[in-house]
Amino acid sequence: MRERYDVAVIGLGAMGSAAAYHLALRGRSVVGFDRYRPPHSFGSSHGRTRIIREAYPEGAGYVPLVQRAYELWADLQTASGDELLTITGGLLIDDEGGDSSRSAIHSAARGGIAIEQLSPAEVASRFPTFRLDSGQIAIFEPRAGVLAIEACIKAHLDAAAIAGAELRFDTAVDGWTASDGGFELATSGGTVQADRLVLSAGPWLPTLLGRRAAALTVERQVQCWFEPVDDGEGPISIWPAVAAGGYTSPDLGDGVKVAVHHGGVATTPDDVERLVGDDDVDPLRRFIEHYLPGVTSTLREASVCLYTNTADKDFLIDILPEDERIIVVSPCSGHGFKFAPAVGEAVAELMTDGSTTQPIEAFRFDREALTTP
Ligand SMILES: Cc1cc2nc3c(=O)[nH]c(=O)nc-3n(C[C@H](O)[C@H](O)[C@H](O)COP(=O)(O)OP(=O)(O)OC[C@H]3O[C@@H](n4cnc5c(N)ncnc54)[C@H](O)[C@@H]3O)c2cc1C
């Protein structure tokens, strides 16, 4: 144990584990804290799978970041020896001419990503798990797939420890004070000195951010697994224009994962209702009945997860305007996991070089959507 560290990472979930690894890789002395022992199921990073896709309808600006993430996930997979990424292909289903499909087509053109446009009949014959309405189209991208989220976090933590990071689990950081040009952190395991801080506390971030917490809202989200009709294989699917923005992941042994994107109640990690009820599951059963002939309405399992959202549903990854020694890296508005290693690399570059090669300027604190009340 050292007297003082270059960087303290507060929160070792998806983003913190990646940041700790990339900082340690660059020779920084790193101490990381987590109030639990990740991977765990109290925050935003549990539920076996996370979708990764490349022709990003949320904006072409995300494409270089996800392409870098693909490379880094592959490196981590090789280093860990575990299967982290399974390529399944992916469908984006939208109304013909709808905003999401147009934006995905634009992202694909900008990023050199191969995609195919499919009619309802083509989807029915190639991917019989799904049934589209007439007037809908599907954009198929072959490189989409799923990441094994718990294994990914474990792989980042293991790699961080091998690179020299000191990881302290079951240790909450309660706050910090300025000390000798750095910080003295008060933790449930005593005090620690560090020159710089990474705040990656996910849905707990509002408790650490003071007045800046107003930029964030935490949202309850339910993820469910249903019995497939046959083997439940096939591509992932996202349905941004229908069924409250539903999405699915194929059966990898636990059932077909079906959930909706956003639309949950505002909450906090301490107050959230963690039991899943009929009100959560019934809309998913209606979605299955209408659009997923390859899935039954028999529920195998369900769990509650948390999104940490900004007003424009983009990310927040930036140096804290009040203190250039602190980087905030978390709120990913429910679509951040796929980017985690690229975000970790960006944080490490910012802290070692003062700038990053990753395109994260759009995720600043001072953008209009976060500064306009
Ligand atoms: C249901 C659901 C589905 C999703 N699907 C996708 C998807 O398909 N694709 C995708 O890309 N993204 C998806 N996401 C989003 C993605 O999972 C999140 O953006 C990402 O996991 C957030 O990671 P994080 O590091 O910010 O938070 P977390 O992983 O929750 O980490 C925060 C950590 O901080 C710790 N902590 C908090 N406070 C303190 C403290 N004071 N001291 C010490 N430790 C502390 C916590 O214990 C926790 O481990 C989904 C999210 C959910 C909930």
Side-chain angles (χ1 to χ4, degrees):
M1 266 192 227
R2 303 165 70 98
E3 291 283 299
R4 186 174 181 129
Y5 297 83
D6 293 332
V7 186
V9 178
I10 304 176
L12 295 170
M15 302 302 159
S17 62
Y21 169 53
H22 283 279
L23 282 160
L25 209 56
R26 282 168 175 71
R28 292 294 176 270
S29 60
V30 176
V31 61
F33 296 95
D34 203 285
R35 63 167 67 242
Y36 301 111
R37 186 171 285 271
H40 61 74
S41 54
F42 303 112
S44 303
S45 298
H46 56 284
R48 300 192 187 96
T49 53
R50 288 296 186 263
I51 291 172
I52 181 165
R53 51 193 165 80
E54 200 177 1
Y56 223 62
E58 291 86 344
Y62 285 95
V63 173
L65 200 61
V66 81
Q67 290 180 332
R68 180 63 183 143
Y70 268 100
E71 293 171 356
L72 292 169
W73 284 124
D75 292 349
L76 190 66
Q77 177 161 274
T78 305
S80 72
D82 292 328
E83 189 175 355
L84 303 182
L85 172 61
T86 306
I87 299 294
T88 61
L91 292 171
L92 180 159
I93 291 106
D94 194 13
D95 298 332
E96 205 169 346
D99 288 345
S100 294
S101 48
R102 277 203 321 224
S103 180
I105 291 166
H106 174 67
S107 287
R110 286 259 311 264
I113 302 159
I115 54 168
E116 283 177 76
Q117 185 168 320
L118 305 178
S119 68
E122 286 167 328
V123 171
S125 85
R126 274 177 66 178
F127 306 115
T129 298
F130 308 98
R131 175 176 50 222
L132 274 57
D133 290 334
S134 64
Q136 289 180 324
I137 54 152
I139 307 288
F140 177 70
E141 53 167 300
R143 271 226 308 169
V146 289
L147 292 154
I149 184 167
E150 285 87 358
C152 289
I153 291 176
K154 182 173 179 307
H156 266 143
L157 291 173
D158 289 349
I162 290 167
E166 197 184 304
L167 306 177
R168 302 195 191 174
F169 300 121
D170 300 313
T171 308
V173 175
D174 299 321
W176 55 84
T177 50
S179 134
D180 292 342
F183 301 97
E184 181 170 289
L185 279 73
T187 83
S188 53
T191 58
V192 170
Q193 317 274 335
D195 292 342
R196 308 186 72 178
L197 304 181
V198 174
L199 306 187
S200 45
W204 287 265
L205 194 63
T207 63
L208 299 176
L209 268 190
R211 72 179 182 83
R212 292 276 172 189
L216 307 175
T217 51
V218 176
E219 183 183 7
R220 178 179 179 272
Q221 292 288 314
V222 173
Q223 42 192 351
C224 293
W225 288 261
F226 291 90
E227 195 76 43
V229 172
D230 293 323
D231 58 13
E233 285 179 3
I236 62 99
S237 71
I238 61 169
W239 304 68
V242 294
Y247 63 92
T248 72
S249 296
D251 183 16
L252 300 176
D254 307 295
V256 178
K257 186 172 178 180
V258 184
V260 293
H261 187 48
H262 293 299
V265 294
T267 187
T268 69
D270 289 337
D271 299 332
V272 65
E273 172 57 79
R274 293 193 184 264
L275 289 178
V276 174
D278 289 344
D279 289 354
D280 298 309
V281 182
D282 288 348
L284 297 176
R285 289 202 167 106
R286 287 195 290 273
F287 174 53
I288 290 169
E289 209 166 286
H290 192 103
Y291 291 109
L292 304 177
V295 184
T296 75
S297 58
T298 306
L299 185 68
R300 276 202 193 167
E301 201 187 321
S303 71
V304 169
C305 182
L306 296 166
Y307 283 179
T308 308
N309 298 321
T310 63
D312 56 9
K313 306 284 195 294
D314 286 319
F315 301 167
L316 179 57
I317 304 167
D318 197 8
I319 291 165
L320 192 66
E322 290 76 24
D323 192 329
E324 62 179 19
R325 298 165 302 173
I326 301 178
I327 292 186
V328 175
V329 48
S330 272
C332 288
S333 301
H335 61 116
F337 186 78
K338 62 182 80 60
F339 300 93
V343 170
E345 185 178 63
V347 170
E349 287 175 348
L350 276 175
M351 283 204 155
T352 45
D353 310 335
S355 63
T356 170
T357 53
Q358 311 282 358
I360 59 165
E361 313 78 49
F363 309 142
R364 294 170 61 87
F365 267 105
D366 64 4
R367 66 186 190 258
E368 201 180 335
L370 271 55
T371 49
T372 316

